[in-house]
């Protein structure tokens, strides 16, 4: 099968498209014929050597979330059959991962009717992170939540889940997703200088809690345009009045300095709930562009620009 693989750490330039053996599913895992593989900022961290000491030796594969058709079942797997359409996280502890013609999955759910493979492959990481972040932040129905960086896929999923939970939402986003976020019921302002005043103009008093979903907290927007120290977290603290009412999914260094909460423990035990919400149209992660495997360089460049404008999806 064809797969994207790397056998040294570094920039996306180390990634190569190769013909390799199909992976075999061990106990509790399934193998799928991959129809679509979502790219995430975490891919570039893994390629750069994150988790290097916790995973088996190189080579390793690219791609952490997938959708496709079940092709083989590992020992002990129940509740799914060959030919079923599923989506979820890809196993990435072997020589290949999700960006391949076949991939192993440690967890999955059935793709609901009316959802394409590309749309399904865009869901797992954004949905899991957003759900967990809202839970860890402890935001309750009726409260006013500020989602900063809601133009990111995690941010948009958080806005959608929050509104569905009966939470009122103000979102900060650039022009690409602003109208879509307003369309689902968030009040939207631009991020960047003056954000505090723009949010302040919409609320009496404070916002109850704030969730930072901007890549690196907006700390470094682009290498040539570094943001303020601590990114937007000081503004989010000011708007809530308490660092304990702020959670970031990305800017862990600033969070440690400022006493802001973080969330890091990925868990994929809610895939059926995400499938149900996707089927009902509550959970949608916009797909910005699709690419064949051999255009990974182009996809990586847009992904790493900080402004992909939605999910980038590889289609083997
Ligand atoms: N803690 C965890 O467990 C966990 C898990 C998954 C992901 N993450 C992290 O969560 C973050 C978001 O991930 P993602 O996949 O959703 O990212 P993404 O979709 O690639 O985010 C890109 C979007 O962020 C917006 N953005 C860029 N710079 C910004 C800034 N300075 N301020 C506000 N918004 C900005 C842009 O939208 P506009 O059009 O609005 O500019 C852009 O399209 C990443 O840092 C990722 O590493 C953490």
């Amino acid at each position: 099968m064809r797969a994207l693989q790397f056998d040294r750490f570094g920039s996306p330039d180390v990634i190569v498209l190769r013909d390799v053996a199909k992976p075999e599913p061990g106990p509790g895992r399934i193998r799928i014929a991959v129809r679509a593989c979502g790219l995430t900022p975490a891919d570039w961290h893994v390629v750069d050597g994150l988790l290097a000491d916790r995973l088996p030796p190189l080579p390793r594969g690219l791609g952490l979330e997938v959708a496709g058709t079940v092709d083989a079942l590992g020992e002990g797997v129940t509740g799914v059959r060959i030919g079923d359409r599923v989506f979820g996280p890809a196993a990435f502890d072997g020589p290949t991962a999700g960006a391949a013609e076949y991939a192993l999955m440690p967890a999955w759910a059935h793709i609901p009717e009316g959802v394409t493979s590309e749309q399904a492959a865009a869901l797992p990481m954004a949905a899991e992170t957003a759900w967990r972040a809202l839970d860890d932040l402890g935001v309750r129905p009726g409260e006013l939540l500020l989602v900063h960086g809601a133009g990111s896929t995690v941010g948009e999923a958080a806005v959608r889940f929050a509104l569905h939970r009966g939470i009122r939402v103000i979102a900060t986003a650039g022009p690409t997703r602003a109208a879509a976020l307003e369309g689902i019921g968030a009040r939207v302002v631009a991020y960047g200088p003056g954000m505090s005043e723009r949010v302040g103009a919409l609320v009496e008093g404070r916002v109850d809690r704030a969730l930072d979903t901007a890549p690196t907290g907006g700390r470094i927007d682009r290498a040539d345009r570094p943001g303020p120290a601590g990114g937007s977290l000081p503004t989010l603290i000011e708007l809530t009045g308490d660092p304990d009412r702020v959670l970031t999914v990305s800017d862990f260094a600033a969070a440690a300095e400022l006493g802001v909460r973080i969330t890091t423990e990925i868990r994929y035990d809610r895939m059926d709930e995400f499938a149900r919400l996707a089927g009902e149209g509550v959970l949608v992660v916009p797909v910005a562009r699709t690419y064949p495997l051999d255009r990974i360089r182009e996809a990586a460049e847009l992904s790493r620009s900080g402004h992909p404008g939605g999910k980038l999806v590889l289609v083997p």
Side-chain angles (χ1 to χ4, degrees):
M1 69 162 189
R2 292 182 331 138
L4 290 174
Q5 219 180 27
F6 54 99
D7 32 34
R8 59 192 169 90
F9 295 116
S11 73
D13 290 348
V14 301
I15 299 165
V16 287
L17 182 58
R18 288 200 178 121
D19 270 315
V20 293
K22 273 190 203 176
E24 293 302 327
R29 289 184 169 191
I30 61 171
R31 184 176 66 201
I32 63 164
V34 178
R35 300 284 178 247
C37 170
L39 288 174
T40 73
D43 281 302
W44 315 123
H45 298 313
V46 171
V47 171
D48 197 33
L50 182 79
L51 305 176
D53 53 346
R54 284 199 259 157
L55 291 171
L58 296 164
R60 204 156 296 148
L62 183 79
L64 305 174
E65 53 184 7
V66 283
T69 308
V70 178
D71 156 83
L73 306 178
E75 198 188 309
V77 169
T78 55
V80 68
R81 287 178 303 190
I82 307 287
D84 285 359
R85 293 175 70 233
V86 298
F87 72 109
F92 59 101
D93 54 356
T96 60
E101 286 173 320
Y102 294 86
L104 303 180
M105 298 177 73
W108 55 84
H110 287 92
I111 300 176
E113 233 14 76
V115 176
T116 67
S117 298
E118 288 84 353
Q119 289 165 337
L123 300 174
M125 191 167 285
E128 192 281 331
T129 309
W131 190 278
R132 170 164 48 86
L134 292 174
D135 284 353
D136 289 1
L137 184 56
V139 57
R140 290 183 294 270
E143 285 189 334
L144 178 61
L145 171 71
L146 174 63
V147 179
H148 172 58
S152 68
T153 64
V154 173
E156 180 157 344
V159 169
R160 287 172 172 274
F161 285 151
L163 291 168
H164 188 65
R165 291 183 188 189
I167 295 160
R168 295 173 297 132
V169 177
I170 296 177
T172 74
T176 311
R177 297 303 301 161
L181 291 162
E182 268 167 9
I184 57 173
R187 285 179 290 167
V188 182
V189 298
Y191 58 78
M195 179 176 109
S196 175
E197 292 72 25
R198 287 190 290 279
V199 173
L202 295 181
V203 292
E204 273 176 38
R206 294 196 156 127
V207 295
D208 293 309
R209 287 169 210 269
L211 173 59
D212 167 35
T213 59
T216 326
R219 186 157 51 89
I220 298 175
D221 191 359
R222 281 176 20 183
D224 57 338
R225 271 200 280 139
S232 300
L233 292 184
T235 305
L236 303 189
I237 295 169
E238 177 198 321
L239 287 165
T240 56
D242 181 354
D244 197 44
R245 289 174 168 267
V246 180
L247 183 145
T248 178
V249 301
S250 55
D251 200 347
F252 302 148
E257 266 174 47
L258 299 168
V260 160
R261 297 205 223 171
I262 64 169
T263 182
T264 54
E265 293 300 317
I266 295 174
R267 39 182 294 199
Y268 279 108
D269 53 355
R270 295 195 189 92
M271 285 302 302
D272 287 332
E273 177 78 351
F274 299 151
R276 187 179 64 75
L277 292 170
E280 291 170 4
V282 172
L283 170 62
V284 178
V285 172
V287 175
R289 289 191 63 174
T290 60
Y291 299 85
L293 292 182
D294 61 5
R295 283 177 51 203
I296 182 60
R297 292 277 152 79
E298 207 182 311
E301 195 177 324
L302 182 56
S303 176
R304 282 156 48 94
S305 72
H307 293 275
K311 181 66 75 176
L312 305 182
V313 175
L314 296 172
V315 181

